[in-house]
C-alpha cells in the first residue's frame, strides 16, 4: 500500500500517465491521417478526454510537491476518464443501433462558445466521420469498444490510487 501511495508523489508515475495518453493520441492521429479513418463527433469527444488525461499527467508531474496541483491533476484525470468512458459506451451503443432513426450524431462538436476547439484546432477536433460506421476492428472489437476498455483502465487505476491514498490518510 505504501508503494501505491508513493506513486502519487513520484513525477515518473505522472509522466507515465501523460505518456500513455500521448501515445493513444499519436495512434489516433495515425488512424486519421495515415489510414484515412475520419473521426466522428464521439471520437472527437474521446480524443479530448485523452488529451485532458495527458495534461493531468503533465500537471501532476510538474506540481508534484504542491497539494493543490495534485488535487487538480487527480480531478482532471478522474473527470476525463469517467467522461471518456461514458462517451465511449454511448458510441458503442450508437454503433450497435445505427439502423434506428433516433441514433445519430452531430457533425459540429458541442464545445463551449468560449472554447471552440474545432475551430481553433481543426486538425484535432474537426468531426468528419459517421458515428454509426464501423470502419476498423482489431480482434473483433471496434475502436469505441477498445476505448471503453482503455477508459475503464484509466478509471480503475484512478480508483485504486485514490482509495489507497484515502486508506493511508486514515491510518495517519
Amino acid at each position: 500500500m505504501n508503494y501505491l501511495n508513493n506513486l502519487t508523489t513520484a513525477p515518473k508515475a505522472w509522466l507515465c500517465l501523460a505518456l500513455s495518453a500521448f501515445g493513444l493520441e499519436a495512434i489516433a492521429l495515425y488512424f486519421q491521417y495515415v489510414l484515412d479513418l475520419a473521426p466522428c463527433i464521439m471520437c472527437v469527444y474521446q480524443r479530448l478526454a485523452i488529451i485532458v488525461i495527458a495534461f493531468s499527467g503533465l500537471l501532476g508531474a510538474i506540481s508534484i510537491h504542491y497539494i493543490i496541483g495534485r488535487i487538480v491533476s487527480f480531478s482532471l484525470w478522474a473527470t476525463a476518464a469517467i467522461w471518456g468512458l461514458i462517451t465511449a459506451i454511448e458510441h458503442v451503443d450508437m454503433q450497435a443501433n445505427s439502423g434506428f432513426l433516433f441514433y445519430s450524431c452531430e457533425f459540429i462538436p458541442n464545445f463551449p462558445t468560449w472554447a471552440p476547439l474545432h475551430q481553433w484546432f481543426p486538425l484535432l477536433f474537426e468531426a468528419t466521420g459517421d458515428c454509426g460506421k464501423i470502419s476498423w476492428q482489431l480482434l473483433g472489437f471496434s475502436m469505441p469498444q477498445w476505448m471503453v476498455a482503455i477508459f475503464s483502465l484509466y478509471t480503475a487505476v484512478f480508483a485504486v490510487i485514490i482509495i489507497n491514498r484515502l486508506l493511508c490518510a486514515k491510518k495517519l
Side-chain angles (χ1 to χ4, degrees):
M1 290 194 57
N2 283 336
Y3 175 75
L4 286 176
N5 198 32
N6 292 337
L7 275 180
T8 60
T9 57
K12 286 182 183 178
W14 286 101
L15 286 175
C16 283
L17 176 68
L19 287 175
S20 71
F22 280 128
L24 289 170
E25 186 56 37
I27 290 168
L29 292 173
Y30 175 81
F31 279 128
Q32 181 177 352
Y33 291 108
V34 176
L35 298 181
D36 203 30
L37 298 176
C40 69
I41 195 75
M42 300 304 279
C43 298
V44 167
Y45 292 151
Q46 291 168 63
R47 177 176 287 180
L48 178 61
I50 291 293
I51 290 171
V52 171
I53 291 170
F55 177 75
S56 73
L58 288 177
L59 181 63
I62 292 168
S63 63
I64 200 73
H65 300 295
Y66 306 102
I67 187 72
I68 296 296
R70 285 197 313 261
I71 290 171
V72 170
S73 297
F74 275 125
S75 299
L76 287 172
W77 177 9
T79 302
I82 294 168
W83 180 64
L85 178 59
I86 292 167
T87 305
I89 290 170
E90 187 178 341
H91 194 180
V92 169
D93 194 39
M94 281 181 174
Q95 285 185 339
N97 298 304
S98 65
F100 297 108
L101 292 175
F102 54 89
Y103 279 101
S104 65
C105 59
E106 304 166 348
F107 290 107
I108 299 173
N110 193 16
F111 294 127
T113 55
W114 53 268
L117 297 176
H118 61 292
Q119 293 172 354
W120 293 348
F121 307 106
L123 293 174
L124 289 175
F125 299 113
E126 186 175 45
T128 56
D130 179 13
C131 294
K133 184 178 177 186
I134 299 174
S135 54
W136 178 88
Q137 286 188 329
L138 177 65
L139 302 174
F141 296 103
S142 68
M143 195 171 304
Q145 290 171 322
W146 281 106
M147 291 308 295
V148 168
I150 289 166
F151 284 119
S152 295
L153 184 62
Y154 277 129
T155 303
V157 170
F158 170 79
V160 167
I161 296 289
I162 204 71
I163 289 169
N164 184 61
R165 290 282 298 180
L166 293 172
L167 290 176
C168 286
K170 269 188 169 183
K171 288 182 181 181
L172 295 177

